[in-house]
Amino acid sequence: MRRKILGIALILLAGLCLCLSLNQADKYRQAEKTYDDILEKYTKEKKVSKKKQDFVVDWKKLWKTNKDVVGWIKMDSGADYPILHGDSNEEYLHTDLYGDYNINGSIFVNADNSRDWSDPNTIIYGHRMNNGSMFGSNKKYMEKDYLKKHPDFSIYRPDGCYVYKIFNVMVVEDGTYPYTYQFPDKKSYIEYLSKVKQYSYYDSGITVPDARQIVTLSTCTYINHVKKRLVIQGYIRQIREYKGMVQKRKINILEDNAFSKTEMEDTNDKEID
């Protein structure tokens, strides 16, 4: 009799596990469908030449849906999502562009960072999903050879496309020194850029020129079953302005004594490497 009861209990347990697994899989499918729809609804590939396609974001349409959109990230590893900025780091942890629950959550900027990307280091968070979505495929950058083949990522903002060159890949604890985003002056920031290399997972051989602003991408990873943070940092390498926009605009740079916005002259696809 005991064996019979145990057998029934095991069958019920197996059924429960199957139901939970199917429910989880359904949440993943729904999340993927939502982001596929967002990509189709708010962006398009525009042909600018016979060989070149340009990525276009409908910012006005996005802002009508959610005023918290501050950019759009594209990475060779697979990330292709809007970037949001909430009032807290919990707001978009499991919430999508439409304000609905989403197991993938959203890609979002650290709530304490400025919305206008004016900080020397802007931190962006994204989940490490098992299916590789969001920042789930950023683990590819733990291989130095992958970084060599895919050295950049792009962040589209209303005023242009900002191309970032990856200079650092780290596995660290959350909230540690690499997450510093504000500095009193240029000297302290240059010191940070030097010290943060001590946390590198490997030597990329790349340094940040002239105290350029950076972006820090953060997601979870596991080392020997211990939860850590996989962090990828890139500095602004290039700014591609959208067709028809004025050539003169404000670009955030570091001055000698403080951080400030200085008006600079740029041309389309100008390299600032």
Side-chain angles (χ1 to χ4, degrees):
M1 186 66 179
R2 289 183 178 178
R3 288 183 178 179
K4 187 176 181 179
I5 294 173
L6 180 60
I8 292 172
L10 290 174
I11 291 172
L12 290 174
L13 181 60
L16 177 62
C17 290
L18 178 61
C19 287
L20 291 174
S21 178
L22 291 173
N23 182 54
Q24 191 79 347
D26 185 57
K27 288 180 179 179
Y28 277 113
R29 283 193 296 270
Q30 289 178 4
E32 286 182 34
K33 184 179 184 305
T34 295
Y35 279 105
D36 286 343
D37 291 344
I38 288 172
L39 187 63
E40 183 177 353
K41 186 175 181 180
Y42 298 101
T43 71
K44 63 180 179 180
E45 297 285 345
K46 184 178 179 181
K47 192 171 184 178
V48 295
S49 68
K50 290 183 178 180
K51 296 183 179 180
K52 186 177 179 182
Q53 295 283 116
D54 197 15
F55 183 71
V56 179
V57 179
D58 191 334
W59 298 106
K60 290 182 179 179
K61 195 173 182 180
L62 266 174
W63 290 329
K64 285 182 180 179
T65 302
N66 192 322
K67 61 179 177 58
D68 286 340
V69 177
V70 293
W72 192 291
I73 187 167
K74 289 181 73 72
M75 302 181 70
D76 288 348
S77 55
D80 195 353
Y81 306 103
I83 305 171
L84 293 98
H85 186 289
D87 294 327
S88 73
N89 286 340
E90 288 72 40
E91 184 171 353
Y92 289 106
L93 200 59
H94 291 293
T95 303
D96 62 27
L97 177 74
Y98 303 113
D100 299 324
Y101 171 81
N102 191 307
I103 193 171
N104 284 6
S106 297
I107 302 298
F108 62 92
V109 173
N110 172 35
D112 293 325
N113 271 121
S114 301
R115 292 177 64 91
D116 62 0
W117 304 87
S118 60
D119 294 324
N121 180 17
T122 297
I123 301 166
I124 301 177
Y125 296 100
H127 283 304
R128 171 191 177 272
M129 306 307 292
N130 291 331
N131 62 0
S133 60
M134 309 312 282
F135 282 167
S137 293
N138 280 6
K139 59 187 177 183
K140 295 177 182 179
Y141 286 99
M142 294 175 76
E143 298 292 334
K144 189 174 182 178
D145 286 343
Y146 186 83
L147 174 61
K148 289 181 179 179
K149 295 176 182 177
H150 308 273
D152 301 327
F153 62 88
S154 298
I155 293 179
Y156 289 77
R157 289 155 52 177
D159 63 339
C161 173
Y162 289 68
V163 181
Y164 291 82
K165 185 170 184 176
I166 298 172
F167 68 92
N168 204 9
V169 177
M170 301 173 281
V171 175
V172 298
E173 298 287 345
D174 188 22
T176 49
Y177 183 69
Y179 287 87
T180 306
Y181 61 92
Q182 288 183 333
F183 306 85
D185 51 40
K186 183 176 180 178
K187 182 180 178 181
S188 61
Y189 182 51
I190 291 175
E191 183 180 356
Y192 165 84
L193 293 175
S194 175
K195 285 186 176 181
V196 78
K197 297 289 285 184
Q198 298 174 15
Y199 295 79
S200 299
Y201 194 67
Y202 53 78
D203 183 9
S204 68
I206 302 167
T207 57
V208 182
D210 57 40
R212 202 77 54 79
Q213 284 179 301
I214 68 171
V215 158
T216 295
L217 309 178
S218 176
T219 192
C220 295
T221 192
Y222 290 86
I223 304 296
N224 297 324
H225 306 291
V226 178
K227 189 175 182 180
K228 300 282 188 178
R229 293 290 185 270
L230 172 61
V231 172
I232 296 171
Q233 294 185 310
Y235 69 84
I236 296 177
R237 180 181 70 80
Q238 183 188 72
I239 301 171
R240 300 201 308 269
E241 294 189 350
Y242 303 136
K243 186 177 180 181
M245 289 193 68
V246 295
Q247 298 302 311
K248 191 174 184 180
R249 58 193 171 92
K250 289 184 177 181
I251 295 177
N252 301 313
I253 64 170
L254 276 173
E255 293 295 337
D256 288 335
N257 299 320
F259 296 359
S260 64
K261 294 182 179 180
T262 301
E263 215 167 56
M264 297 177 63
E265 288 285 348
D266 273 342
T267 57
N268 287 340
D269 294 336
K270 180 180 178 181
E271 293 284 347
I272 54 174
D273 211 337

